[in-house]
């Protein structure tokens, strides 16, 4: 659950949640920021896989347009 920049949630809410989870026996914290994940996918390898299943050049062209931003 995210508490960052969420209406009605703040740092004290996050600390209360952490305290509760520790008391419940949780011992691991996982933090993942997927915002830039898709910027790091090797586009050529991805397209090879997509082309194995998609033959419509118009659909494949849509991906090529998006890749120009990478």
């Amino acid at each position: 659950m995210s508490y960052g920049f969420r209406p009605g949630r703040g740092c004290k809410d996050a600390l209360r949640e952490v305290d509760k989870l520790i008391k419940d026996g949780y011992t691991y914290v996982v933090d993942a920021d997927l915002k830039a994940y898709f910027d790091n996918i090797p586009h050529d390898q991805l397209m090879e896989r997509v082309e194995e299943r998609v033959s419509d050049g118009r659909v494949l062209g849509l991906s090529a347009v998006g890749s120009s931003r990478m």
Side-chain angles (χ1 to χ4, degrees):
M1 177 175 288
S2 177
Y3 289 89
F5 304 104
R6 299 292 191 268
R9 294 185 189 162
C11 61
K12 290 183 181 180
D13 299 311
L15 291 172
R16 278 191 284 273
E17 181 71 13
V18 169
D19 184 58
K20 176 188 172 302
L21 293 170
I22 289 171
K23 289 176 180 173
D24 288 345
Y26 287 88
T27 57
Y28 293 93
V29 174
V30 176
D31 180 34
D33 181 0
L34 299 178
K35 178 180 178 184
Y37 172 76
F38 294 101
D39 295 341
N40 297 309
I41 292 176
H43 189 259
D44 54 338
Q45 293 175 20
L46 173 64
M47 287 307 298
E48 287 175 11
R49 298 296 302 269
V50 170
E51 288 169 0
E52 292 173 4
R53 295 185 177 254
V54 177
S55 60
D56 187 334
R58 295 171 298 176
V59 173
L60 296 171
L62 292 173
S63 178
V65 169
S67 69
S68 65
R69 295 179 298 187
M70 294 183 166

